[in-house]
Amino acid sequence: MLDDNDFALASAVDTSVVVLEELSLHPQPEVREAVARNPNTPIEVLLKLGKEFPDAITANPIFNLLLLENPDSHFVRLSLARSTTTSESAIARLSKIEDEEILCAVARNPKTPLHILEQLLENPPTFYDDENADEFDFDELFIAIVQNPNTSESLLLQLAERGSSNVKMAIAQNPKAPLSLLNQFADWRNFRMHKAIARNPQAPSAILEKLAGENEKEIRDLVKNHPNVSETAIAIINFIEGKPGTSIDLLELLASDRRASVRPLVATHPSTPAKVLEKLAQDTDPNVPPQAANNPNANSTVLEFFAEFLVKQHQRVSPSNQAMYERSAVQLVSRSDITPMTQAVF
């Protein structure tokens, strides 16, 4: 509920500077905005409030006076760059100023047209030494362009090529992000990137299904609560979390999952059929074939593939590491369900 007394103080032109400074930190945004509109508020306080209430700053009666007295001051330029009431021609002039804070404000301004955003990317400012610049130097500017509602798919593709990993994560959250980029980013083994994609309100169900098998519960919860979540994604989450009811079709699908954390779960699942275990017994991850061979549903073909795996691993590793595979081979040949063909592998 709005505190009427504090709001009245923040709005009154005779309120002291000291009180206005205190009210600029008020927990209620209505009070802080009233401070931003108050002509008695000092410039340094207006500067701090400008990012949150840009239009209140330019509507403040004192702003027109400052604009007349010193139109080239940093405060005036920054306030204009932030305000949605600034004309397009003024925004165009501000976009030529080589000041990082002002240019980032222009890039964030929802009234900045696409062609100016494109110019900011094509001709980035020279406030960095080109010889010593790296891909992270323009993060704030590029992220501001990414987040501008007027940005386009084409511009996002260009930003993905030129920007750092931080810029790419910002792109992943943009509802306009092209599907090609989301597919590429979903294959990253990066928690922050996956969280960014899962927060994209337009992330398609196919992308969410890719993320549903992640180890991190935070990612799975974001997928589960996403408006585009599919039944398949929910089924994958239930499987990862050990809930019953996983279908054979889903187990077959997950046996080809790119994540090494998912395939061992399929290999140990009590419902995984022999034909799926045969595939897992030939998996390139050395942790998967042993689990496939130990599954109660493993047939003779699974054991044969596992025997071949043991021989290859024994030949591949150094002598000091061969003992583990030798023990596994001894355990395998001692099994009651071993076949002569499997024994012949050794």
Side-chain angles (χ1 to χ4, degrees):
M1 185 175 179
L2 180 62
D3 187 324
D4 291 335
N5 291 333
D6 286 347
F7 182 79
L9 272 175
S11 303
V13 294
D14 58 350
T15 300
S16 71
V17 168
V18 173
V19 173
L20 287 170
E21 288 178 348
E22 292 177 357
L23 291 173
S24 70
L25 303 174
H26 199 281
Q28 294 176 322
E30 295 89 351
V31 174
R32 298 196 302 275
E33 184 174 7
V35 174
R37 292 179 181 276
N38 194 314
N40 205 35
T41 301
I43 300 299
E44 59 269 18
V45 176
L46 293 177
L47 192 58
K48 292 177 182 177
L49 293 170
K51 195 170 184 178
E52 185 179 12
F53 306 108
D55 293 345
I57 300 297
T58 53
N60 189 316
I62 198 67
F63 184 77
N64 284 334
L65 179 61
L66 295 171
L67 183 61
L68 290 172
E69 290 181 345
N70 192 0
D72 295 333
S73 73
H74 180 76
F75 170 72
V76 168
R77 286 174 163 177
L78 182 59
S79 298
L80 289 171
R82 287 170 168 171
S83 177
T84 61
T85 62
T86 303
S87 67
E88 183 176 327
S89 59
I91 288 175
R93 289 194 297 273
L94 291 165
S95 70
K96 305 298 183 184
I97 298 172
E98 292 182 355
D99 180 291
E100 184 177 21
E101 191 174 16
I102 290 172
L103 290 177
C104 288
V106 168
R108 289 190 192 94
N109 194 324
K111 292 297 184 180
T112 299
L114 176 61
H115 70 89
I116 292 180
L117 297 176
E118 291 172 338
Q119 289 170 12
L120 287 173
L121 177 61
E122 291 168 7
N123 302 295
T126 57
F127 41 72
Y128 291 114
D129 181 354
D130 289 342
E131 292 184 2
N132 299 316
D134 63 37
E135 63 175 352
F136 294 97
D137 283 342
F138 295 102
D139 270 10
E140 188 175 357
L141 178 62
F142 286 177
I143 289 173
I145 297 172
V146 168
Q147 294 172 342
N148 192 298
N150 297 322
T151 199
S152 64
E153 281 195 20
S154 173
L155 195 53
L156 291 176
L157 286 167
Q158 294 177 59
L159 285 159
E161 288 183 6
R162 296 184 56 178
S164 69
S165 57
N166 294 329
V167 174
K168 292 179 175 68
M169 287 178 199
I171 294 171
Q173 294 187 68
N174 192 307
K176 294 181 181 178
L179 181 59
S180 60
L181 288 181
L182 291 181
N183 265 314
Q184 175 187 329
F185 296 157
D187 289 335
W188 282 27
R189 305 312 308 142
N190 185 290
F191 169 78
R192 290 174 59 215
M193 175 58 85
H194 291 170
K195 185 160 68 170
I197 297 171
R199 285 176 170 169
N200 186 327
Q202 295 301 321
S205 58
I207 299 292
L208 297 174
E209 288 167 13
K210 280 189 173 185
L211 303 182
E214 291 300 317
N215 281 334
E216 294 82 3
K217 186 176 185 299
E218 185 177 353
I219 301 294
R220 298 198 303 270
D221 286 346
L222 285 169
V223 171
K224 193 184 301 183
N225 295 312
H226 196 283
N228 295 334
V229 66
S230 65
E231 291 183 4
T232 299
I234 294 295
I236 293 172
I237 291 171
N238 289 339
F239 166 75
I240 296 296
E241 296 180 350
K243 297 176 182 176
T246 303
S247 68
I248 300 300
D249 288 344
L250 184 59
L251 289 170
E252 290 178 351
L253 174 68
L254 294 176
S256 300
D257 195 281
R258 72 190 189 285
R259 289 161 292 209
S261 60
V262 173
R263 299 194 302 279
L265 294 177
V266 180
T268 58
H269 197 279
S271 298
T272 301
K275 65 177 181 178
V276 176
L277 294 173
E278 290 172 12
K279 178 179 181 178
L280 294 171
Q282 303 172 75
D283 199 280
T284 55
D285 184 330
N287 295 314
V288 177
Q291 300 193 55
N294 288 324
N295 191 300
N297 300 326
N299 59 15
S300 59
T301 305
V302 173
L303 299 183
E304 289 167 16
F305 283 137
F306 180 53
E308 292 174 0
F309 160 80
L310 291 175
V311 171
K312 290 177 182 177
Q313 288 297 108
H314 187 270
Q315 295 171 343
R316 184 177 296 130
V317 301
S318 62
S320 60
N321 293 322
Q322 290 177 347
M324 176 180 66
Y325 297 105
E326 291 170 358
R327 287 195 298 270
S328 296
V330 170
Q331 292 171 358
L332 179 60
V333 297
S334 65
R335 287 176 57 156
S336 59
D337 56 350
I338 195 74
T339 64
M341 188 174 293
T342 304
Q343 291 176 321
V345 174
F346 299 114

